[in-house]
Amino acid sequence: MGTDLQIAARKVVSVNPATGELLRELECADESEIRMVIARARTAQIAWGAISVGNRITVLREFQRRLAEKKSEIATAITREAGKPVAEALTTEVLVVLDAARFLIDNAYRLLGDEPVPHGNLVAKLKSGRLAREPYGVIGIISPWNYPFSIPATETLAALVAGNAVVLKPSEFTSLVALELESLLHASGVPRDVFQVVVGDGVTGSALTNSPIDKLIFTGSVATGKRIAAAAAERLLPLVLELGGKDPMLVLDDADVDVASSAAVWGAFVNAGQTCLSVERCYVHRSLYKDFLNACAEKTKKLIVNHGLLHDTDVGPMIHQGQLHIVESHVVDAVTRGARVLAGGSRLPELGPNFYRPTVLADVTHQMRIMREETFGPVLPVMAFDSDEEAVHLANDSEYGLAASVWTRNPDRGDRLARRIQAGTVMVNDLVSCFGISEAPHGGRKASGVGRAHGRFGLEEMVQLKYLDSDRMPRMKKVWWYHYGASFVRQMKGFIDFQFAQRLRERLSGALRAAGIVRSKRL
């Protein structure tokens, strides 16, 4: 009976956040099951890593074809389990993954190939060097619920094309989307044990972290990321951590108010604000502040909040009550401290328990939680500034450093300010879309994490570098071998002068003193 109760306690349920409908109940993988999964993955990876990159690209091409055909089914599955509008499931999930596959299909063969290493030192001129990129082996991925398809899929595709096996532990709130990904990959030619999904809760994630994987890719909260980093440090497990953000939007005095306000509304409320790249802090030059606030409030009130499967829906539900409570507490704290609610600020119980009105807050300050902590909900807090210097200071006054945006009619001015903002990505006159640019690296600074996903640098995270060196004169003894002696010391000083002395006379003198250095090796 005790065993039965334990099994019953280790289940996760998939629920439609808009309706509360129970979609499916799944058993959590325990530690012993995860170890068996890892063992199968390690065995399967040997054959997968041995096939050519070209063959692995062929599998990705088939995956891309199948995903394009099933785009509507996948988008619907995402909406049912994560709540976001179908339009966003298509644009920010399906399209992103299709383009990530395109990038790898076009570039993986070149980026994973051996790379010549030139030798500038004269001593090494008789050597041929190159960098080889080898798979880690088994890569564990722990992915979040807010982008349950695009985040794990882009990371998985990069890991697979590099020759790794992957074990994916999705969020307990969006397990079914991960299983859709698994089905697509297997149907496309990825061997079953090369990509496996382990369903479960935090205990399952901890078990994966502590299992004999070769690298871990984690996307989630700062608190969980720190715990994972501490556990990984015990055995020096390599990590990539994407830990969220508090992204600032800077609207300069020459910005187009209509364009910038539309961007702010979309950037703050896309996926009901449950986006690591969303606008969580908006700073507007005081000369535009009133007009900008009025435009944002007016546009926010026109948004259609409803179930995501309805095609005219702009904003869907939040994922669960816990996240909604965080949003409410941040808004209440801000209002208590003097902020004004210009739009929203309350639940929509007539739609369901997880719906919250898109909210615009004015007169916020950095003493409010809404400007310090990650809200991860449909709230746009707006604060005025008086100079570019102040705007940069405010943008950098955060423990996070994932992304930011600068809005101006002067691209050069925008670029100058962008270079001063402490973030992994800064966009000028756009926001959020950097995640969909497959060539661009995604990742942050400070508490926003370490490492990168996407593009060339994301692919580099999936391989280990090995330097290979071949000597072109295998029958010649090397000048730095034994014996040393006074003659060798004199010759080496001359050789150093020959290469690095500043005056021509000293370099010529050094060449003469270095003469005979090769013949001096007697051992």
Side-chain angles (χ1 to χ4, degrees):
M1 182 179 295
T3 302
D4 292 341
L5 288 174
Q6 186 178 15
I7 293 174
R10 294 295 317 288
K11 288 187 177 182
V12 295
V13 291
S14 173
V15 176
N16 184 325
T19 65
E21 173 195 1
L22 175 62
L23 300 176
R24 190 171 165 188
E25 188 175 68
L26 301 134
E27 288 191 9
C28 297
D30 59 22
E31 184 176 347
S32 61
E33 182 179 347
I34 286 175
R35 290 192 174 272
M36 287 189 291
V37 166
I38 300 300
R40 293 197 300 269
R42 192 165 301 286
T43 299
Q45 187 275 327
I46 296 171
W48 178 252
I51 69 174
S52 69
V53 175
N55 285 339
R56 295 196 290 265
I57 288 173
T58 299
V59 174
L60 260 62
R61 189 175 284 112
E62 177 64 13
F63 169 83
Q64 185 188 51
R65 183 189 70 79
R66 288 175 178 268
L67 175 57
E69 287 182 351
K70 294 189 66 175
K71 57 185 178 296
S72 296
E73 297 170 55
I74 297 299
T76 299
I78 293 168
T79 295
R80 290 187 71 203
E81 197 170 33
K84 67 187 63 182
V86 170
E88 288 180 7
L90 287 168
T91 56
T92 67
E93 303 252 27
V94 174
L95 179 61
V96 167
V97 176
L98 286 169
D99 195 65
R102 186 272 312 163
F103 171 81
L104 294 170
I105 289 167
D106 292 348
N107 296 284
Y109 188 85
R110 172 179 58 85
L111 294 175
L112 293 172
D114 285 2
E115 179 183 337
V117 178
H119 299 153
N121 192 328
L122 291 178
V123 174
K125 284 295 185 182
L126 296 179
K127 296 180 179 298
S128 171
R130 58 202 182 279
L131 288 178
R133 291 170 170 83
E134 299 178 346
Y136 273 93
V138 179
I139 291 183
I141 297 177
I142 299 177
S143 63
W145 48 261
N146 59 327
Y147 288 90
F149 191 74
S150 59
I151 289 178
T154 53
E155 295 166 349
T156 293
L157 294 179
L160 290 176
V161 79
N164 299 284
V166 174
V167 177
L168 167 63
K169 189 275 172 190
S171 166
E172 58 267 39
F173 300 109
T174 50
S175 303
L176 300 184
V177 174
L179 294 175
E180 291 282 357
L181 173 62
E182 183 181 51
S183 177
L184 267 175
L185 286 168
H186 291 168
S188 302
V190 176
R192 287 191 170 274
D193 290 341
V194 169
F195 178 76
Q196 301 173 78
V197 173
V198 291
V199 173
D201 52 16
V203 175
T204 306
S206 179
L208 179 60
T209 301
N210 293 311
S211 71
I213 55 177
D214 299 300
K215 187 164 186 174
L216 179 65
I217 316 294
F218 170 80
T219 305
S221 70
V222 172
T224 303
K226 287 181 178 180
R227 289 195 297 271
I228 286 175
E234 291 294 321
R235 60 187 182 95
L236 297 179
L237 175 68
L239 292 173
V240 174
L241 301 174
E242 201 273 88
L243 305 179
K246 192 72 181 173
D247 291 2
M249 175 181 183
L250 277 59
V251 182
L252 307 187
D253 55 4
D254 65 345
D256 185 309
V257 171
D258 182 47
V259 172
S261 59
S262 291
V265 169
W266 180 78
F269 305 141
V270 62
N271 196 26
Q274 300 167 125
T275 302
C276 59
L277 292 166
S278 66
V279 177
E280 291 239 347
R281 297 179 289 148
C282 187
Y283 303 102
V284 181
H285 192 273
R286 198 170 301 278
S287 64
L288 304 181
Y289 186 64
K290 183 178 179 180
D291 290 342
F292 182 87
L293 282 170
N294 290 337
C296 287
E298 180 182 342
K299 293 173 181 180
T300 297
K301 291 173 183 177
K302 294 178 180 178
L303 296 177
I304 298 174
V305 183
N306 213 325
H307 295 198
L309 290 174
L310 302 174
H311 286 185
D312 62 348
T313 294
D314 296 311
V315 181
M318 300 194 65
I319 189 69
H320 52 61
Q321 286 286 295
Q323 194 59 43
L324 192 148
H325 288 153
I326 293 173
V327 173
E328 280 188 322
S329 68
H330 282 195
V331 171
V332 169
D333 174 78
V335 171
T336 301
R337 295 173 182 268
R340 292 182 292 126
V341 177
L342 301 186
S346 62
R347 298 190 184 202
L348 287 164
E350 64 274 20
L351 294 177
N354 296 324
F355 287 88
Y356 192 84
R357 296 180 190 276
T359 300
V360 178
L361 294 179
D363 303 340
V364 295
T365 70
H366 275 212
Q367 283 66 52
M368 301 172 183
R369 293 175 62 198
I370 198 82
M371 298 296 276
R372 310 299 301 183
E373 304 172 17
E374 191 173 25
T375 305
F376 224 60
V379 183
L380 174 62
V382 187
M383 179 176 175
F385 68 84
D386 293 301
S387 68
D388 288 3
E389 194 69 30
E390 182 186 7
V392 171
H393 171 76
L394 290 168
N396 291 337
D397 183 23
S398 173
E399 66 173 318
Y400 295 96
L402 184 59
S405 66
V406 179
W407 297 79
T408 173
R409 298 176 195 264
N410 185 336
D412 291 337
R413 182 186 182 193
D415 184 76
R416 288 195 300 272
L417 263 66
R419 292 175 182 275
R420 298 175 58 194
I421 295 173
Q422 299 163 0
T425 297
V426 183
M427 303 193 78
V428 179
N429 295 322
D430 197 8
L431 39 69
V432 182
S433 65
C434 52
F435 185 78
I437 302 171
S438 297
E439 290 77 10
H442 173 65
R445 301 181 183 181
K446 300 189 282 188
S448 288
V450 294
R452 292 295 183 268
H454 300 191
R456 173 165 63 96
F457 295 101
L459 189 57
E460 290 282 359
E461 295 282 4
M462 305 301 178
V463 294
Q464 300 188 84
L465 287 180
K466 176 182 286 183
Y467 173 68
L468 300 173
D469 187 285
S470 296
D471 198 277
R472 295 192 178 102
M473 300 290 288
R475 297 177 60 83
M476 186 181 78
K477 294 182 179 181
K478 307 303 178 278
V479 299
W480 50 86
W481 294 354
Y482 295 126
H483 282 303
Y484 296 146
S487 176
F488 176 72
V489 171
R490 182 174 61 256
Q491 290 166 334
M492 281 307 300
K493 288 180 179 179
F495 185 76
I496 290 171
D497 285 345
F498 170 56
Q499 282 201 90
F500 302 109
Q502 299 300 303
R503 296 187 177 89
L504 177 61
R505 179 182 299 178
E506 292 177 357
R507 297 182 73 171
L508 292 175
S509 173
L512 293 174
R513 282 179 284 134
I517 193 170
V518 175
R519 297 193 302 273
S520 68
K521 297 293 105 178
R522 298 186 303 277
L523 186 62

